[in-house]
Amino acid sequence: MNRSSSVGHASRRAFTLIELLLVLAILATLAAVVVPKFANRSEQARITATQTDIFQLETALDAFEVDCGRYPSEQEGLEALVEMPADVQGWRGPYLKKGSPKDAWGEAYIYRQPGRFNTTGFDLFSKGPNKQEGDDDDLVNWSKDQ
């Protein structure tokens, strides 16, 4: 049996310009939908990492308070969690593995003691993605409803 006669003659056909433009339009639409979602994911990951850092810093500050009977002063700052301040009794640190913690945008956390919002404790926050203090994207250790 002759193969060429049973298969027939295959015709070569190229993509038309319209078909190529249609494929490019579909790819551009998909990219316009998918890329922002991935970009938002990285920003959300930074926010989550910073919220986790604030929680861990709160835990370290509470351990300092249990050991020393007080929170670090605002002047001592978060460095008191790494190096023992001069006038403190009962320090059992370091409470952090590294000093000068920074948020996910490379900015230092802001520590205030006594707190303006947590008046019996401390305020601890990051200025957030826009690096501006006092607006809605700040990540804080107090309820923003106060």
Short mmCIF file of all heavy atoms in Angstrom, two decimals, residues 47 50-62 71-72 78 81 109-128 133 135-146:
data_model
loop_
_atom_site.label_atom_id
_atom_site.label_comp_id
_atom_site.label_asym_id
_atom_site.label_seq_id
_atom_site.Cartn_x
_atom_site.Cartn_y
_atom_site.Cartn_z
N ILE A 47 3.88 43.67 54.00
CA ILE A 47 2.99 44.08 55.09
C ILE A 47 2.90 42.98 56.14
O ILE A 47 3.02 43.24 57.35
CB ILE A 47 1.60 44.46 54.54
CG1 ILE A 47 1.70 45.76 53.75
CG2 ILE A 47 0.56 44.56 55.64
CD1 ILE A 47 0.46 46.10 52.93
N THR A 50 6.13 42.73 58.16
CA THR A 50 6.25 43.83 59.11
C THR A 50 5.32 43.63 60.30
O THR A 50 5.71 43.87 61.45
CB THR A 50 5.98 45.17 58.40
OG1 THR A 50 6.96 45.34 57.38
CG2 THR A 50 6.06 46.34 59.36
N GLN A 51 4.10 43.17 60.05
CA GLN A 51 3.18 42.88 61.16
C GLN A 51 3.76 41.79 62.07
O GLN A 51 3.65 41.87 63.30
CB GLN A 51 1.82 42.46 60.62
CG GLN A 51 1.06 43.60 60.00
CD GLN A 51 -0.19 43.14 59.26
OE1 GLN A 51 -0.23 42.04 58.69
NE2 GLN A 51 -1.21 43.98 59.23
N THR A 52 4.40 40.78 61.48
CA THR A 52 5.03 39.72 62.26
C THR A 52 6.18 40.27 63.08
O THR A 52 6.34 39.93 64.25
CB THR A 52 5.51 38.59 61.32
OG1 THR A 52 4.39 38.09 60.60
CG2 THR A 52 6.17 37.47 62.10
N ASP A 53 6.99 41.14 62.48
CA ASP A 53 8.09 41.77 63.21
C ASP A 53 7.58 42.56 64.41
O ASP A 53 8.16 42.50 65.49
CB ASP A 53 8.87 42.73 62.31
CG ASP A 53 9.85 42.03 61.39
OD1 ASP A 53 10.04 40.81 61.52
OD2 ASP A 53 10.43 42.73 60.53
N ILE A 54 6.50 43.32 64.21
CA ILE A 54 5.95 44.12 65.32
C ILE A 54 5.51 43.20 66.44
O ILE A 54 5.79 43.47 67.62
CB ILE A 54 4.79 45.01 64.81
CG1 ILE A 54 5.36 46.15 63.95
CG2 ILE A 54 3.97 45.57 65.97
CD1 ILE A 54 4.31 46.98 63.23
N PHE A 55 4.88 42.09 66.11
CA PHE A 55 4.46 41.13 67.14
C PHE A 55 5.68 40.57 67.89
O PHE A 55 5.68 40.47 69.11
CB PHE A 55 3.64 40.00 66.51
CG PHE A 55 3.22 38.95 67.48
CD1 PHE A 55 2.20 39.19 68.38
CD2 PHE A 55 3.88 37.72 67.53
CE1 PHE A 55 1.82 38.22 69.31
CE2 PHE A 55 3.51 36.76 68.44
CZ PHE A 55 2.47 37.00 69.34
N GLN A 56 6.74 40.22 67.16
CA GLN A 56 7.94 39.68 67.79
C GLN A 56 8.64 40.73 68.65
O GLN A 56 9.15 40.41 69.73
CB GLN A 56 8.89 39.12 66.73
CG GLN A 56 8.37 37.86 66.09
CD GLN A 56 9.24 37.38 64.93
OE1 GLN A 56 10.01 38.14 64.35
NE2 GLN A 56 9.08 36.12 64.58
N LEU A 57 8.66 41.97 68.19
CA LEU A 57 9.24 43.04 68.99
C LEU A 57 8.43 43.28 70.26
O LEU A 57 9.00 43.52 71.33
CB LEU A 57 9.34 44.33 68.17
CG LEU A 57 10.41 44.33 67.08
CD1 LEU A 57 10.22 45.51 66.14
CD2 LEU A 57 11.80 44.35 67.70
N GLU A 58 7.11 43.21 70.16
CA GLU A 58 6.26 43.33 71.35
C GLU A 58 6.59 42.24 72.36
O GLU A 58 6.68 42.50 73.57
CB GLU A 58 4.78 43.23 70.97
CG GLU A 58 4.19 44.45 70.37
CD GLU A 58 2.71 44.26 70.08
OE1 GLU A 58 2.35 43.31 69.37
OE2 GLU A 58 1.92 45.09 70.56
N THR A 59 6.77 41.01 71.87
CA THR A 59 7.12 39.90 72.75
C THR A 59 8.46 40.14 73.44
O THR A 59 8.60 39.92 74.65
CB THR A 59 7.15 38.58 71.96
OG1 THR A 59 5.86 38.39 71.34
CG2 THR A 59 7.47 37.39 72.84
N ALA A 60 9.45 40.62 72.69
CA ALA A 60 10.76 40.92 73.27
C ALA A 60 10.66 42.05 74.28
O ALA A 60 11.29 42.00 75.35
CB ALA A 60 11.75 41.26 72.16
N LEU A 61 9.87 43.08 73.98
CA LEU A 61 9.70 44.19 74.92
C LEU A 61 8.99 43.73 76.19
O LEU A 61 9.35 44.17 77.30
CB LEU A 61 8.92 45.33 74.25
CG LEU A 61 9.71 46.13 73.22
CD1 LEU A 61 8.77 46.89 72.28
CD2 LEU A 61 10.69 47.06 73.91
N ASP A 62 8.02 42.84 76.05
CA ASP A 62 7.34 42.30 77.24
C ASP A 62 8.30 41.47 78.08
O ASP A 62 8.27 41.53 79.32
CB ASP A 62 6.12 41.47 76.83
CG ASP A 62 4.96 42.32 76.34
OD1 ASP A 62 4.93 43.53 76.63
OD2 ASP A 62 4.09 41.76 75.64
N TYR A 71 9.60 48.92 80.84
CA TYR A 71 9.94 48.87 79.42
C TYR A 71 11.15 49.76 79.18
O TYR A 71 11.42 50.68 79.97
CB TYR A 71 8.77 49.36 78.56
CG TYR A 71 7.60 48.40 78.53
CD1 TYR A 71 6.41 48.69 79.17
CD2 TYR A 71 7.71 47.19 77.85
CE1 TYR A 71 5.34 47.80 79.14
CE2 TYR A 71 6.65 46.30 77.81
CZ TYR A 71 5.47 46.61 78.46
OH TYR A 71 4.42 45.73 78.43
N PRO A 72 11.87 49.54 78.10
CA PRO A 72 12.97 50.46 77.79
C PRO A 72 12.42 51.88 77.61
O PRO A 72 11.31 52.06 77.12
CB PRO A 72 13.53 49.94 76.46
CG PRO A 72 13.06 48.54 76.35
CD PRO A 72 11.78 48.47 77.10
N LEU A 78 14.83 50.49 71.05
CA LEU A 78 14.84 49.05 70.81
C LEU A 78 16.24 48.46 70.96
O LEU A 78 16.38 47.25 71.09
CB LEU A 78 14.27 48.74 69.43
CG LEU A 78 12.80 49.16 69.22
CD1 LEU A 78 12.38 48.91 67.78
CD2 LEU A 78 11.88 48.44 70.19
N LEU A 81 17.02 46.03 73.73
CA LEU A 81 16.70 44.61 73.60
C LEU A 81 17.92 43.79 73.17
O LEU A 81 17.91 42.58 73.24
CB LEU A 81 15.57 44.41 72.59
CG LEU A 81 14.25 45.11 72.93
CD1 LEU A 81 13.26 44.98 71.78
CD2 LEU A 81 13.67 44.55 74.22
N TYR A 109 11.81 50.88 62.92
CA TYR A 109 10.53 50.93 63.63
C TYR A 109 10.55 52.11 64.59
O TYR A 109 11.59 52.48 65.12
CB TYR A 109 10.30 49.63 64.40
CG TYR A 109 9.99 48.46 63.50
CD1 TYR A 109 10.98 47.57 63.13
CD2 TYR A 109 8.71 48.26 63.01
CE1 TYR A 109 10.70 46.50 62.30
CE2 TYR A 109 8.42 47.20 62.18
CZ TYR A 109 9.42 46.33 61.83
OH TYR A 109 9.14 45.29 60.99
N ILE A 110 9.39 52.67 64.82
CA ILE A 110 9.28 53.79 65.75
C ILE A 110 8.73 53.25 67.07
O ILE A 110 7.70 52.58 67.11
CB ILE A 110 8.38 54.90 65.17
CG1 ILE A 110 9.02 55.42 63.88
CG2 ILE A 110 8.19 56.02 66.18
CD1 ILE A 110 8.15 56.34 63.08
N TYR A 111 9.48 53.55 68.14
CA TYR A 111 9.13 53.08 69.49
C TYR A 111 8.93 54.31 70.36
O TYR A 111 9.80 55.20 70.39
CB TYR A 111 10.28 52.21 70.02
CG TYR A 111 10.15 51.84 71.48
CD1 TYR A 111 9.22 50.90 71.90
CD2 TYR A 111 10.98 52.43 72.44
CE1 TYR A 111 9.11 50.55 73.24
CE2 TYR A 111 10.88 52.08 73.78
CZ TYR A 111 9.94 51.15 74.17
OH TYR A 111 9.83 50.80 75.49
N ARG A 112 7.80 54.36 71.03
CA ARG A 112 7.52 55.46 71.95
C ARG A 112 7.08 54.89 73.29
O ARG A 112 6.19 54.05 73.35
CB ARG A 112 6.43 56.37 71.39
CG ARG A 112 6.88 57.10 70.15
CD ARG A 112 5.85 58.11 69.69
NE ARG A 112 6.35 58.79 68.51
CZ ARG A 112 5.62 59.07 67.45
NH1 ARG A 112 4.34 58.75 67.43
NH2 ARG A 112 6.14 59.70 66.41
N GLN A 113 7.73 55.36 74.33
CA GLN A 113 7.39 54.92 75.68
C GLN A 113 7.54 56.10 76.62
O GLN A 113 8.62 56.70 76.69
CB GLN A 113 8.32 53.77 76.08
CG GLN A 113 7.80 52.85 77.16
CD GLN A 113 7.81 53.48 78.54
OE1 GLN A 113 8.73 54.18 78.93
NE2 GLN A 113 6.76 53.24 79.29
N PRO A 114 6.49 56.52 77.31
CA PRO A 114 5.17 55.89 77.30
C PRO A 114 4.47 56.13 75.97
O PRO A 114 4.76 57.09 75.27
CB PRO A 114 4.44 56.59 78.44
CG PRO A 114 5.11 57.91 78.58
CD PRO A 114 6.54 57.70 78.18
N GLY A 115 3.55 55.22 75.67
CA GLY A 115 2.85 55.33 74.40
C GLY A 115 1.81 56.43 74.40
O GLY A 115 1.24 56.76 75.45
N ARG A 116 1.57 56.99 73.26
CA ARG A 116 0.52 58.00 73.12
C ARG A 116 -0.84 57.32 72.92
O ARG A 116 -1.87 57.89 73.24
CB ARG A 116 0.85 58.93 71.96
CG ARG A 116 2.04 59.82 72.29
CD ARG A 116 2.62 60.51 71.07
NE ARG A 116 3.80 61.29 71.39
CZ ARG A 116 5.05 60.82 71.41
NH1 ARG A 116 5.27 59.56 71.18
NH2 ARG A 116 6.06 61.60 71.70
N PHE A 117 -0.82 56.10 72.37
CA PHE A 117 -2.05 55.33 72.18
C PHE A 117 -2.16 54.23 73.22
O PHE A 117 -3.24 53.96 73.73
CB PHE A 117 -2.09 54.74 70.76
CG PHE A 117 -2.17 55.80 69.70
CD1 PHE A 117 -1.02 56.26 69.08
CD2 PHE A 117 -3.39 56.34 69.33
CE1 PHE A 117 -1.08 57.25 68.10
CE2 PHE A 117 -3.47 57.33 68.37
CZ PHE A 117 -2.31 57.79 67.75
N ASN A 118 -1.06 53.53 73.51
CA ASN A 118 -1.00 52.54 74.59
C ASN A 118 -0.38 53.25 75.79
O ASN A 118 0.81 53.15 76.05
CB ASN A 118 -0.13 51.35 74.17
CG ASN A 118 -0.75 50.54 73.07
OD1 ASN A 118 -1.95 50.31 73.06
ND2 ASN A 118 0.07 50.10 72.12
N THR A 119 -1.20 53.97 76.53
CA THR A 119 -0.68 54.86 77.57
C THR A 119 -0.06 54.12 78.75
O THR A 119 0.76 54.68 79.47
CB THR A 119 -1.80 55.80 78.08
OG1 THR A 119 -2.91 55.00 78.51
CG2 THR A 119 -2.23 56.74 76.98
N THR A 120 -0.42 52.86 78.96
CA THR A 120 0.19 52.08 80.04
C THR A 120 1.36 51.24 79.55
O THR A 120 1.97 50.52 80.34
CB THR A 120 -0.85 51.16 80.71
OG1 THR A 120 -1.36 50.27 79.72
CG2 THR A 120 -1.97 51.96 81.33
N GLY A 121 1.67 51.34 78.30
CA GLY A 121 2.77 50.55 77.74
C GLY A 121 3.59 51.37 76.76
O GLY A 121 4.19 52.38 77.12
N PHE A 122 3.58 50.95 75.52
CA PHE A 122 4.41 51.58 74.49
C PHE A 122 3.69 51.54 73.15
O PHE A 122 2.82 50.72 72.92
CB PHE A 122 5.76 50.86 74.37
CG PHE A 122 5.62 49.39 74.06
CD1 PHE A 122 5.54 48.94 72.75
CD2 PHE A 122 5.54 48.45 75.09
CE1 PHE A 122 5.40 47.59 72.46
CE2 PHE A 122 5.40 47.10 74.81
CZ PHE A 122 5.32 46.67 73.49
N ASP A 123 4.07 52.47 72.30
CA ASP A 123 3.62 52.45 70.91
C ASP A 123 4.78 51.96 70.07
O ASP A 123 5.93 52.36 70.27
CB ASP A 123 3.24 53.86 70.43
CG ASP A 123 2.01 54.42 71.12
OD1 ASP A 123 1.28 53.65 71.78
OD2 ASP A 123 1.78 55.63 70.99
N LEU A 124 4.48 51.08 69.15
CA LEU A 124 5.49 50.53 68.24
C LEU A 124 4.85 50.47 66.86
O LEU A 124 3.77 49.91 66.71
CB LEU A 124 5.90 49.13 68.71
CG LEU A 124 6.93 48.40 67.87
CD1 LEU A 124 8.28 49.12 67.90
CD2 LEU A 124 7.10 46.98 68.38
N PHE A 125 5.52 51.06 65.87
CA PHE A 125 4.91 51.06 64.55
C PHE A 125 5.91 51.27 63.43
O PHE A 125 7.03 51.70 63.64
CB PHE A 125 3.78 52.09 64.46
CG PHE A 125 4.20 53.52 64.61
CD1 PHE A 125 4.38 54.32 63.49
CD2 PHE A 125 4.39 54.09 65.85
CE1 PHE A 125 4.74 55.64 63.61
CE2 PHE A 125 4.75 55.41 65.99
CZ PHE A 125 4.94 56.20 64.86
N SER A 126 5.43 50.92 62.23
CA SER A 126 6.14 51.16 60.98
C SER A 126 5.33 52.19 60.21
O SER A 126 4.11 52.19 60.25
CB SER A 126 6.22 49.86 60.18
OG SER A 126 6.49 50.12 58.82
N LYS A 127 6.03 53.06 59.49
CA LYS A 127 5.34 54.06 58.67
C LYS A 127 4.72 53.45 57.42
O LYS A 127 4.02 54.13 56.69
CB LYS A 127 6.31 55.18 58.29
CG LYS A 127 6.74 56.00 59.51
CD LYS A 127 7.63 57.15 59.11
CE LYS A 127 9.07 56.73 59.19
NZ LYS A 127 10.01 57.83 58.89
N GLY A 128 4.97 52.17 57.17
CA GLY A 128 4.32 51.47 56.08
C GLY A 128 4.93 51.74 54.72
O GLY A 128 5.99 52.36 54.60
N GLU A 133 4.56 59.03 58.20
CA GLU A 133 3.93 58.76 59.50
C GLU A 133 2.56 59.42 59.60
O GLU A 133 2.36 60.53 59.13
CB GLU A 133 4.84 59.29 60.61
CG GLU A 133 4.32 59.00 62.00
CD GLU A 133 5.26 59.48 63.08
OE1 GLU A 133 6.47 59.63 62.83
OE2 GLU A 133 4.77 59.69 64.21
N ASP A 135 -0.61 58.18 58.58
CA ASP A 135 -1.70 57.94 57.64
C ASP A 135 -2.19 56.50 57.73
O ASP A 135 -1.75 55.74 58.59
CB ASP A 135 -1.32 58.34 56.21
CG ASP A 135 -0.02 57.70 55.75
OD1 ASP A 135 0.41 56.71 56.36
OD2 ASP A 135 0.55 58.19 54.76
N ASP A 136 -3.09 56.13 56.84
CA ASP A 136 -3.78 54.85 56.95
C ASP A 136 -2.92 53.62 56.67
O ASP A 136 -3.31 52.52 57.02
CB ASP A 136 -5.00 54.82 56.02
CG ASP A 136 -6.13 55.68 56.54
OD1 ASP A 136 -6.15 55.98 57.75
OD2 ASP A 136 -7.01 56.07 55.73
N ASP A 137 -1.77 53.78 56.03
CA ASP A 137 -0.97 52.59 55.74
C ASP A 137 0.05 52.28 56.83
O ASP A 137 0.81 51.32 56.72
CB ASP A 137 -0.31 52.69 54.36
CG ASP A 137 0.92 53.58 54.34
OD1 ASP A 137 1.04 54.45 55.23
OD2 ASP A 137 1.74 53.43 53.43
N ASP A 138 0.06 53.05 57.93
CA ASP A 138 0.95 52.74 59.05
C ASP A 138 0.56 51.39 59.65
O ASP A 138 -0.62 51.06 59.74
CB ASP A 138 0.86 53.81 60.13
CG ASP A 138 1.44 55.15 59.70
OD1 ASP A 138 1.98 55.23 58.58
OD2 ASP A 138 1.34 56.10 60.48
N LEU A 139 1.56 50.62 60.05
CA LEU A 139 1.33 49.32 60.71
C LEU A 139 1.67 49.52 62.18
O LEU A 139 2.82 49.83 62.52
CB LEU A 139 2.19 48.24 60.06
CG LEU A 139 1.93 48.10 58.55
CD1 LEU A 139 3.02 47.29 57.88
CD2 LEU A 139 0.59 47.48 58.31
N VAL A 140 0.69 49.34 63.04
CA VAL A 140 0.81 49.77 64.44
C VAL A 140 0.48 48.64 65.41
O VAL A 140 -0.13 47.64 65.03
CB VAL A 140 -0.11 50.98 64.71
CG1 VAL A 140 0.25 52.14 63.79
CG2 VAL A 140 -1.57 50.61 64.53
N ASN A 141 0.87 48.83 66.68
CA ASN A 141 0.54 47.85 67.72
C ASN A 141 -0.65 48.27 68.57
O ASN A 141 -0.85 47.76 69.66
CB ASN A 141 1.76 47.55 68.61
CG ASN A 141 2.05 48.68 69.59
OD1 ASN A 141 1.84 49.85 69.30
ND2 ASN A 141 2.56 48.32 70.75
N TRP A 142 -1.44 49.19 68.09
CA TRP A 142 -2.65 49.61 68.80
C TRP A 142 -3.82 49.58 67.83
O TRP A 142 -3.64 49.51 66.62
CB TRP A 142 -2.49 51.01 69.40
CG TRP A 142 -2.31 52.11 68.39
CD1 TRP A 142 -3.28 52.79 67.71
CD2 TRP A 142 -1.06 52.64 67.93
NE1 TRP A 142 -2.72 53.71 66.85
CE2 TRP A 142 -1.37 53.64 66.97
CE3 TRP A 142 0.27 52.38 68.21
CZ2 TRP A 142 -0.39 54.37 66.31
CZ3 TRP A 142 1.24 53.11 67.56
CH2 TRP A 142 0.91 54.10 66.63
N SER A 143 -5.02 49.67 68.37
CA SER A 143 -6.20 49.67 67.52
C SER A 143 -6.35 51.06 66.91
O SER A 143 -6.32 52.07 67.60
CB SER A 143 -7.44 49.35 68.38
OG SER A 143 -8.61 49.55 67.62
N LYS A 144 -6.50 51.11 65.59
CA LYS A 144 -6.64 52.39 64.90
C LYS A 144 -8.00 53.02 65.16
O LYS A 144 -8.24 54.15 64.75
CB LYS A 144 -6.41 52.21 63.40
CG LYS A 144 -4.96 51.96 63.06
CD LYS A 144 -4.76 51.95 61.57
CE LYS A 144 -3.31 51.75 61.22
NZ LYS A 144 -3.09 51.79 59.77
N ASP A 145 -8.90 52.31 65.82
CA ASP A 145 -10.23 52.84 66.13
C ASP A 145 -10.20 53.75 67.34
O ASP A 145 -11.21 54.35 67.68
CB ASP A 145 -11.21 51.71 66.38
CG ASP A 145 -11.39 50.84 65.13
OD1 ASP A 145 -11.20 51.35 64.01
OD2 ASP A 145 -11.72 49.65 65.28
N GLN A 146 -9.06 53.86 67.99
CA GLN A 146 -8.98 54.67 69.22
C GLN A 146 -9.05 56.13 68.90
O GLN A 146 -8.61 56.63 67.94
CB GLN A 146 -7.66 54.37 69.96
CG GLN A 146 -7.61 52.98 70.47
CD GLN A 146 -6.28 52.69 71.16
OE1 GLN A 146 -5.33 53.45 71.12
NE2 GLN A 146 -6.20 51.53 71.78
#
